[in-house]
């Protein structure tokens, strides 16, 4: 093919692809515009995963009638005037390409009115071109409605997940902005249901309660740190969890730089480093932090959707966040003694492994970050493949945690919890395959309150939850009625069983088979014997027999080993016999 310049519509679609990847990207650009416009109210509406409709309305400054059309031109912006301005961007937007890009891949309409003008302007675009402009009555502010996103880019549509998952991403985004802008009142409606609302009264902890639950919010530690003495101004503010509150993935670390939502490995790592030694392996803190830094020290123009940021002095940014969180943690531990979850139980002390079981149901309503490459979806296949284990003879229990046993070639130390998890997982999977999962009806149905994200999750998956023995029915806004739980979980507070499960299921890219595995693994994990539990010889023998007959006896459903093997050779070598 000869070289040619592409027609403008094609070029526009290509360029739009950079900015608008999925519905949540549209939501992000529109919300940022509202915040840049000084809005104190931002209302987001989503229908059909944001593909059908996505609307963001604000009470910001509005656009004067004679400028509205210009706003849709590529590189049309009121936020910077020259390349030098790029050096110290203080607004969230600056490239002037969002409206043009969104309009190129959707049917976009805008209704806008500056406070000082009496009437508003209505504008309609098709394929990125303004096809209608009219004076129209409007409240002060701007409302942008995006319909049929990607209808003219079918290739894009194919890459989207389910409507539930896409709406979930928007919910996550809105909650994150609400956390960073507690003085702004956000609301989110998904398919006509009120999914989230913040009050806009400036209370960050209050917003956090709406997102992650009251209990978590009340425990969060205040972060308020400022670089002592001169130099570049560095400040870190926000909330971070005490070691007693943790999550199973690092997606609960939400970071802002000058109130811009960013993905930044260095800063996330700084947070994790501050918790070193305080959290069990595989547990992560929950944090919402905003780093304030002279904009000239950063480069925000490094990523198409402005999700990444570069620092002139990365080390300074790292140590600011690290020290800020450390300080919060040390002050937090002065005010209340926290026991590390990884601490072994001291004699007479109730086992820490059992502590969570009697704790009141935690509202673990956390939302995964939109793009979280770091949350591995653990597959059950062990790295070393399916290795059978020989017939073992149980010798005894060690530390109320391990089963010591002997095989034809040396010693096998079996983790009783992990082993039991594997046994139960396989059993449950068989039962499920036959449609025979046992469920236990509750004497009184329970109402369980859900976070917006959990709610969205449950809406789409009621059937699969039923098939595992969770009988749930919708019951009012963000509330479900729980009538039965899997029999394997009958010893657990039922609401907590459901909420724990939902927390594990939050990961928006889960395929249905992952759902199955995750549900099975969670049910197995919660019903398995704990570390710290006394087991009789017969019980241990039975467990080892069952373990031997499973498909993957050497790993638990989460992929961790169930046993360590010390060969006769290793033993002899260790004792200098060889
Ligand atoms: P950018 O945000 O990078 O300037 P956009 O394409 O997102 O580019 O928006 C173009 C311009 O339209 C903005 O610079 C702003 O002047 C105006 N604009 C967009 N959305 C709003 C809004 N919600 N309220 C007021 N002005 C807006
Ligand atoms: Mg913008």
């Amino acid at each position: 093919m000869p070289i040619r310049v592409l027609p403008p519509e094609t070029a526009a679609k290509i360029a739009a692809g950079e900015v608008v990847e999925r519905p949540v990207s549209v939501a992000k650009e529109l919300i940022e515009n509202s915040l840049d416009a000084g809005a104190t109210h931002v209302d987001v509406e989503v229908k059909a995963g944001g593909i059908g409709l996505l609307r963001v309305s604000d009470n910001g400054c509005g656009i004067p009638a004679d400028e509205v059309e210009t706003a849709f031109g590529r590189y049309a912006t009121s936020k910077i005037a020259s390349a030098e301005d790029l050096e110290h961007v203080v607004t969230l937007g600056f490239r002037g390409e969002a409206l043009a890009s969104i309009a190129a891949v959707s049917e976009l309409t805008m209704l806008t009115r500056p406070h000082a003008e009496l009437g508003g302007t209505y504008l309609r675009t098709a394929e990125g071109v303004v096809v209608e402009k009219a004076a129209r009555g409007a409240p002060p502010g701007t409302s942008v409605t995006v319909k049929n996103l990607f209808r003219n880019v079918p290739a894009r549509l194919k890459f989207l997940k389910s409507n539930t998952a896409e709406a979930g991403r928007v919910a996550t985004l809105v909650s994150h902005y609400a956390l960073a802008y507690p003085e702004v009142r956000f609301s989110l409606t998904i398919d006509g249901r009120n999914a989230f609302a913040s009050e806009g009264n400036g209370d960050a902890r209050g917003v956090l309660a709406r997102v992650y639950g009251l209990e978590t919010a009340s425990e969060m530690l205040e972060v308020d740190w400022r670089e002592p003495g001169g130099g570049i101004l560095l400040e870190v503010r926000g909330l971070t969890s005490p070691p007693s509150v943790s999550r199973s993935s690092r997606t609960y670390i939400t970071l802002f730089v000058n109130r811009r939502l960013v993905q930044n490995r260095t800063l996330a790592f700084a947070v994790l480093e501050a918790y070193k030694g305080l959290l069990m392996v595989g547990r992560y803190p929950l944090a919402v932090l905003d780093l304030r830094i002279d904009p000239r020290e950063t480069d925000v123009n490094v990523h198409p959707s402005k999700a990444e940021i570069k620092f002139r002095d990365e080390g300074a940014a790292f140590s600011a966040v690290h020290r800020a969180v450390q300080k919060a943690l040390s002050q937090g531990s002065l005010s209340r003694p926290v026991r590390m979850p990884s601490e072994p139980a001291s004699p007479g002390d109730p086992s820490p492994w059992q502590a969570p079981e009697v704790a009141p149901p935690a509202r673990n309503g956390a939302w995964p970050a939109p793009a979280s490459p770091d949350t591995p979806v653990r597959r059950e296949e062990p790295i070393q493949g399916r290795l059978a284990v020989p017939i073992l003879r149980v010798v005894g229990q060690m530390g109320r945690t391990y089963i010591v046993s002997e095989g034809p070639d040396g010693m096998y130390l079996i983790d009783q919890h992990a082993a039991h998890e594997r046994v139960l997982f396989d059993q449950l999977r068989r039962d499920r395959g036959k449609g025979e999962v046992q469920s236990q009806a509750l004497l009184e149905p329970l109402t369980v309150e859900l976070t917006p994200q959990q709610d969205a999750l449950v809406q789409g998956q009621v059937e699969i939850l039923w098939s595992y023995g969770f009988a749930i029915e919708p019951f009012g806004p963000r509330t479900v009625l729980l009538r039965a739980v899997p029999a394997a979980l009958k010893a657990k507070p039922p609401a907590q069983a459901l909420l724990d499960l939902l927390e594990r299921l939050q990961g928006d890219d889960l395929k249905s088979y992952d759902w199955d595995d995750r549900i099975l693994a969670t049910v197995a994990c919660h019903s398995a014997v704990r570390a710290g539990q006394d087991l009789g010889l017969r019980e241990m023998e039975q467990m080892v027999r069952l373990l031997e007959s499973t498909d993957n006896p050497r790993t638990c459903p989460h992929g961790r080993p169930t046993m360590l093997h010390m060969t006769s050779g290793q033993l002899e070598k260790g004792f200098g016999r060889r």
Side-chain angles (χ1 to χ4, degrees):
M1 250 195 281
I3 301 175
R4 330 171 251 213
V5 174
L6 290 170
E9 315 87 71
T10 313
K13 277 189 205 168
I14 293 173
E18 297 265 290
V19 183
V20 190
E21 197 193 343
R22 51 193 344 133
V24 70
S25 345
V26 175
K28 177 169 185 286
E29 294 297 337
L30 297 180
I31 292 172
E32 290 187 349
N33 280 349
S34 297
L35 293 169
D36 281 344
T40 54
H41 294 177
V42 178
D43 300 316
V44 182
E45 196 183 329
V46 171
K47 283 190 182 146
I51 302 150
L53 177 141
L54 209 157
R55 175 179 292 140
V56 175
S57 311
D58 65 52
N59 65 346
C61 65
I63 308 178
D66 55 346
E67 290 178 24
V68 183
E69 271 179 277
T70 319
F72 286 86
R74 194 157 289 280
Y75 312 119
T77 180
S78 58
K79 300 170 192 175
I80 60 170
S82 67
E84 288 84 73
D85 289 349
L86 264 183
E87 303 285 312
H88 49 85
V89 174
V90 288
T91 47
L92 296 169
F94 51 86
R95 290 207 192 109
E97 48 181 8
L99 286 181
S101 296
I102 299 166
V105 293
S106 69
E107 290 152 31
L108 184 152
T109 56
M110 178 187 265
L111 185 60
T112 183
R113 180 190 141 195
H115 290 242
E117 288 183 19
L118 292 175
T121 311
Y122 170 83
L123 204 95
R124 186 162 66 85
T125 70
E127 299 271 321
V129 182
V130 176
V131 291
E132 189 183 346
K133 184 184 173 190
R136 198 176 274 191
T142 304
S143 174
V144 176
T145 306
V146 174
K147 286 191 187 160
N148 296 321
L149 184 65
F150 299 140
R151 180 181 274 181
N152 60 352
V153 204
R156 261 300 134 124
L157 276 180
K158 275 190 235 141
F159 284 93
L160 299 184
K161 307 282 175 195
S162 66
N163 285 357
T164 313
E166 296 297 337
R169 288 176 194 246
V170 178
T172 303
L173 177 86
V174 173
S175 73
H176 283 167
Y177 272 107
L179 287 165
Y181 290 79
E183 77 281 15
V184 176
R185 196 186 77 192
F186 284 89
S187 78
L188 170 68
T189 317
I190 298 178
D191 294 321
R193 288 180 311 116
N194 179 356
F196 173 79
S198 67
E199 287 178 64
N201 60 3
D203 174 21
R205 201 180 285 270
V207 183
L208 202 130
R210 297 266 179 137
V211 181
Y212 296 118
L214 208 63
E215 195 179 303
T216 300
S218 67
E219 296 201 42
M220 296 291 281
L221 307 172
E222 201 91 29
V223 178
D224 187 2
W225 182 92
R226 173 185 270 268
E227 176 92 85
I232 47 166
L233 174 73
L234 277 172
E235 242 177 71
V236 183
R237 289 194 226 146
L239 294 164
T240 202
S241 56
S244 55
V245 175
S246 66
R247 292 291 185 270
S248 54
S249 92
R250 67 183 77 190
T251 52
Y252 301 90
I253 301 173
T254 310
L255 298 169
F256 300 86
V257 174
N258 294 332
R259 299 183 114 193
R260 175 190 302 281
L261 184 61
V262 295
Q263 312 267 332
N264 185 282
R265 285 178 174 276
T266 306
L267 298 188
F269 186 57
V271 177
L272 294 177
E273 278 293 294
Y275 283 87
K276 218 170 177 180
L278 296 177
L279 295 177
M280 258 198 302
V281 177
R283 300 301 294 180
Y284 301 90
L286 189 153
V288 179
L289 299 173
D290 183 28
L291 171 69
R292 300 288 170 96
I293 181 169
D294 184 335
R296 279 169 302 205
E297 294 289 320
T298 68
D299 185 356
V300 290
N301 196 18
V302 291
H303 186 263
S305 62
K306 300 163 286 173
E308 282 166 22
I309 191 164
K310 281 216 166 89
F311 297 99
R312 199 194 302 239
D313 185 350
E314 184 143 304
F318 173 92
S319 82
V321 170
H322 185 234
R323 278 185 283 164
V325 175
Q326 266 188 337
K327 178 180 158 217
L329 283 168
S330 64
Q331 286 177 346
S333 61
L334 288 180
S335 61
R336 86 184 103 197
V338 282
R339 192 170 62 177
M340 288 186 275
S342 52
E343 260 176 27
S346 51
D349 211 356
S351 157
W353 295 96
Q354 272 161 353
E357 299 288 306
V358 292
R363 287 285 315 274
N364 291 339
W367 302 354
S372 53
D374 297 336
T375 315
V377 177
R378 291 215 186 100
R379 305 290 304 126
E380 111 188 62
E381 201 66 28
I383 303 153
Q384 70 267 42
R386 298 182 172 221
L387 289 174
V389 288
I391 307 289
L392 300 174
R393 183 179 73 84
V394 173
V395 177
Q397 193 188 23
M398 205 192 96
R400 291 197 193 140
T401 301
Y402 305 107
I403 301 169
V404 184
S405 51
E406 179 191 12
D409 181 27
M411 184 184 80
Y412 290 76
L413 205 53
I414 300 172
D415 180 314
Q416 66 191 40
H417 174 69
H420 198 199
E421 266 185 313
R422 165 53 66 194
V423 168
L424 291 171
F425 181 88
D426 279 33
Q427 255 167 20
L428 281 165
R429 190 161 54 180
R430 271 198 305 275
D431 291 350
R432 154 93 170 122
K434 289 185 275 179
E436 286 173 4
V437 173
Q438 301 288 320
S439 124
Q440 168 91 33
L442 306 179
L443 289 176
E444 290 265 329
L446 263 180
T447 53
V448 185
E449 208 191 313
L450 305 175
T451 64
Q453 172 82 358
Q454 290 169 335
D455 195 29
L457 202 65
V458 168
Q459 296 291 332
Q461 308 292 349
V462 170
E463 266 172 46
I464 193 165
L465 290 169
W466 272 79
S467 74
Y468 281 100
F470 282 99
I472 50 179
E473 290 163 22
F475 188 77
R478 285 166 59 180
T479 309
V480 290
L481 202 61
L482 182 59
R483 294 191 179 277
V485 293
L489 293 180
K490 60 174 182 263
K492 231 175 129 65
Q496 193 189 348
L498 178 63
L499 291 174
D500 279 357
L501 178 70
L502 293 178
E503 192 193 355
R504 306 258 172 141
L505 293 176
Q506 288 172 2
D508 43 7
D509 287 347
L510 290 186
K511 300 274 184 332
S512 50
Y513 58 81
D514 290 322
W515 264 80
D516 278 319
D517 276 5
R518 281 220 184 172
I519 297 180
L520 287 171
T522 308
V523 174
C525 175
H526 285 299
S527 41
V529 298
R530 309 259 126 198
Q533 202 163 316
D534 260 326
L535 295 181
L537 195 62
R538 292 287 295 278
E539 284 174 289
M540 291 190 280
E541 279 169 356
Q542 198 189 0
M543 192 181 313
V544 171
R545 288 295 88 81
L546 289 169
L547 180 67
E548 285 162 3
S549 66
T550 61
D551 285 347
N552 274 306
R554 286 176 191 259
T555 53
C556 83
H558 306 295
R560 289 188 292 271
T562 53
M563 59 178 69
L564 299 178
H565 177 198
M566 196 173 245
T567 62
S568 309
Q570 286 168 325
L571 284 169
E572 281 172 6
K573 214 163 160 200
F575 287 109
R577 288 174 173 271
R578 233 187 13 187

